[in-house]
């Protein structure tokens, strides 16, 4: 079987499938695994508290790695060093005998129209040229639903009324901060959500630059290492290379201006340095592939449960502002989401047979997507998709023919 995309969903899908005995190929466009956690530098894992399985293993392995490096007792953390995440994911995939191919981007698909629209090959391009990879089952973990779109699946994008998607954000790593000195500017458990962000924004404005994201956020990784999210790129589409390029150029320039402005203030910011900007700008909104079931806002309001549940989401509705003229932070939610299930059917493509999805490209509406898109849920979905896809591939069946839930590995 073939997994396209090595982000949080793709990695867990590949590991789960390989552990069940399926020969598994993982294609990744970048030179590392982890997607937004690593190439995107946002190793801040959301909606993980109620998740077990491979995601829990990843967190435990990260904690062990950090403990060996520091000599301190292992402690689970959800804000991690992206470099540690890279090596942990590679080790786990290699231990599971996943075949990884980096620097390889999906660019086409072969669908057998005579066999009820069965997906038979994925086409990809790399330094090796154009290649076709056959598989019995495929999982689209590209985030933007690239494989689904190339296979001819229907999809939705953005807010139905306007067609706008949530803004992109570029993350950066900064050093030179003493945690106790900048404690008012980053959150810890028990802190209110807005206070540290608003104080950080005021400091940025004192330095001469107002951030495009009105709720800039510092996340403490360890020692003097922090993640910073302070950027919004509005009105751009993650499925358009020109838009992504324009957003990347603007975002990186803005981050340098913001850091320079803070450093010019002296005081707690005098040693602040930007050490890395993300290779890949963070894309919140991509294609939502039509599946056998669509998760809707009504599911969130009702806290809907499903017999074929693969993941329980506890994250709220989280729409980053679509129009900066109206709002530059988070849109006010019209309702409070209850914990709800993601069913296996939302991970199975409706228009093409033999294809599943995991991560933010699964089947759902705009508001539901703003809740389930975070990476703790993506990883849980990936594991479920990998297990079901492996069972289907090994038994010569389709994913929708596999009973759910599956027994443990």
């Amino acid at each position: 079987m073939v997994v396209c995309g090595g982000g949080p969903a793709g990695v867990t899908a590949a590991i789960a499938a390989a552990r069940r005995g399926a020969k598994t190929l993982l294609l990744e466009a970048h030179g590392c695994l982890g997607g937004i956690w690593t190439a995107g530098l946002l190793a801040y894992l959301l909606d993980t508290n109620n998740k077990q399985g491979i995601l829990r293993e990843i967190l435990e392995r990260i904690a062990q790695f950090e403990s060996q490096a520091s000599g301190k007792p292992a402690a689970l953390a959800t804000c991690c060093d992206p470099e540690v995440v890279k090596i942990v994911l590679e080790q786990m995939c290699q231990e599971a005998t996943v075949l990884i191919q980096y620097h390889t981007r999906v660019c086409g698909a072969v669908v057998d129209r005579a066999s009820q629209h069965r997906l038979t090959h994925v086409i990809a391009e790399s330094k090796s040229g154009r290649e076709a990879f056959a598989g019995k089952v495929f999982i689209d973990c590209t985030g933007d639903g690239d494989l689904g779109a190339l296979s001819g699946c229907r999809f939705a994008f953005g807010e139905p009324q306007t067609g706008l998607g949530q803004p992109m954000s570029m993350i950066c790593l900064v050093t030179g901060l003493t945690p106790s000195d900048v404690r008012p500017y980053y959150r810890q458990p028990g802190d209110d959500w807005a206070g540290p962000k608003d104080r950080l924004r005021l400091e940025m404005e004192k330095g001469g630059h107002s951030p495009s994201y009105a709720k800039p956020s510092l996340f403490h990784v360890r020692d003097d290492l922090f993640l910073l999210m302070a950027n919004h790129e509005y009105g751009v589409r993650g499925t358009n290379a020109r838009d992504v390029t324009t957003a990347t150029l603007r975002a990186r320039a803005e981050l340098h201006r913001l850091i320079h402005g803070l450093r010019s203030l002296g005081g707690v910011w005098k040693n602040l340095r930007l050490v890395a900007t993300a290779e890949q700008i963070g894309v919140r909104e991509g294609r939502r592939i039509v599946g056998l079931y669509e998760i809707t806002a009504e599911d969130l309001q009702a806290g809907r449960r499903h017999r074929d549940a693969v993941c329980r989401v506890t994250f709220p509705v989280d729409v980053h502002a679509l129009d900066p003229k109206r709002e530059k932070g988070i849109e006010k939610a019209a309702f409070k989401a209850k914990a709800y299930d993601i069913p296996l059917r939302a991970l199975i493509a409706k228009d093409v047979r033999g294809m599943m999805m995991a991560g933010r490209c699964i089947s759902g509406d705009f508001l539901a997507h703003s809740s389930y898109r975070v990476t703790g849920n993506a990883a849980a979905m990936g594991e479920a998709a990998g297990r079901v896809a492996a069972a289907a591939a090994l038994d010569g069946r389709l994913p929708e023919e596999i009973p759910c839930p599956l027994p443990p590995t």
Side-chain angles (χ1 to χ4, degrees):
M1 55 168 287
V2 182
V3 179
C4 299
V11 166
T12 52
I15 293 171
R19 286 180 177 178
R20 283 194 165 258
K23 184 179 179 181
T24 305
L25 172 65
L26 177 57
L27 302 177
E28 167 54 39
H30 294 103
C32 61
L33 299 177
I36 189 62
W37 285 342
T38 53
L41 292 184
L42 187 59
Y44 179 53
L45 287 62
L46 292 170
D47 208 358
T48 63
N49 288 341
N50 67 329
K51 309 297 192 298
Q52 295 296 319
I54 293 174
L55 176 59
R56 180 77 178 191
E57 288 182 52
I58 291 170
L59 292 172
E60 290 173 349
R61 291 281 288 264
I62 292 170
Q64 292 167 6
F65 194 101
E66 291 282 20
S67 176
Q68 292 171 359
S70 67
K72 299 176 182 177
L76 290 186
T78 52
C79 189
C80 310
D81 183 340
E83 285 301 319
V84 175
V85 179
K86 288 178 187 179
I87 189 63
V88 165
L89 297 182
E90 287 180 341
Q91 289 172 346
M92 291 180 68
C93 281
Q94 289 172 317
E95 289 165 7
T97 68
V98 174
L99 178 60
I100 302 167
Q101 183 163 316
Y102 283 145
H103 310 294
T104 303
R105 187 177 295 275
V106 174
C107 65
V110 178
V111 177
D112 186 350
R113 308 295 176 185
S115 184
Q116 296 183 306
H117 293 266
R118 181 71 182 259
L119 180 60
T120 62
H121 295 76
V122 62
I123 311 299
E125 288 188 339
S126 68
K127 289 288 187 181
S128 301
R130 181 167 288 193
E131 297 175 285
F133 299 97
K136 294 181 178 179
V137 181
F138 301 81
I139 309 179
D140 187 341
C141 298
T142 61
D144 292 319
D146 294 339
L147 178 59
L150 291 166
S151 301
C153 292
R154 288 170 293 164
F155 59 85
F157 177 91
E159 184 186 45
Q161 295 85 349
T162 63
L164 293 173
Q166 294 188 63
M168 302 177 190
S169 291
M170 178 171 281
I171 309 301
C172 65
L173 284 173
V174 297
T175 59
L177 298 177
T178 302
S180 58
D181 290 345
V182 295
R183 180 65 186 82
Y185 307 109
Y186 71 93
R187 289 180 65 214
Q188 287 191 341
D191 291 350
D192 70 291
W193 181 82
K197 300 169 185 285
D198 290 340
R199 288 188 287 271
L200 180 58
R201 187 190 71 250
L202 290 174
E203 289 290 284
M204 290 176 169
E205 290 172 349
K206 287 180 187 177
H209 302 284
S210 182
S212 55
Y213 176 42
K215 300 294 181 182
S217 309
L218 273 174
F219 305 99
H220 186 213
V221 181
R222 63 161 185 271
D223 303 322
D224 70 339
L225 182 65
F226 286 77
L227 302 174
L228 173 65
M229 185 178 80
N231 162 257
H232 264 179
E233 293 298 328
Y234 303 95
V236 285
R237 295 174 72 101
T239 55
N240 183 300
R242 293 177 182 84
D243 278 6
V244 175
T245 300
T246 298
T248 299
L249 294 171
R250 282 197 307 239
R252 186 167 288 121
E254 180 185 13
L255 290 176
H256 277 273
R257 288 195 303 270
L258 291 171
I259 297 302
H260 179 77
L262 283 173
R263 191 168 57 245
S264 72
L265 298 176
V268 301
W269 309 108
K270 64 181 179 180
N271 294 320
L272 176 64
R273 290 291 184 273
L274 194 159
V275 295
T277 54
E279 174 186 358
Q280 170 68 60
I281 193 169
V283 179
R284 292 183 177 87
E285 195 91 32
R287 304 178 187 92
R288 305 189 301 274
I289 304 298
V290 173
L292 299 181
Y293 181 92
E294 181 187 43
I295 305 165
T296 66
E298 288 73 25
D299 290 338
L300 280 62
Q301 290 176 284
R304 192 151 291 148
R305 302 288 187 260
H306 296 278
R307 293 184 64 183
D308 62 340
V310 299
C311 173
R312 181 154 297 169
V313 179
T314 64
F315 203 69
V317 173
D318 184 44
V319 178
H320 285 243
L322 307 180
D323 182 359
K325 295 179 180 178
R326 186 179 69 232
E327 169 65 58
K328 292 173 66 178
I330 306 295
E331 299 276 6
K332 185 176 180 180
F335 62 89
K336 184 176 181 180
K338 299 177 182 178
Y340 62 97
D341 289 347
I342 293 178
L344 176 65
R345 287 162 291 157
L347 277 60
I348 300 175
K350 186 174 185 177
D351 299 329
V352 172
R353 309 192 88 189
M355 196 193 91
M356 301 184 71
M357 303 85 68
R360 57 185 172 84
C361 64
I362 68 165
S363 184
D365 69 16
F366 174 73
L367 287 178
H369 166 272
S370 77
S371 167
Y372 64 65
R373 63 177 171 78
V374 297
T375 57
N377 299 314
M381 287 184 240
E383 179 175 359
R387 293 173 64 196
V388 170
L394 292 169
D395 293 348
R397 293 190 283 174
L398 292 168
E400 56 265 38
E401 296 171 337
I402 302 299
C404 185
L406 286 171
T409 304

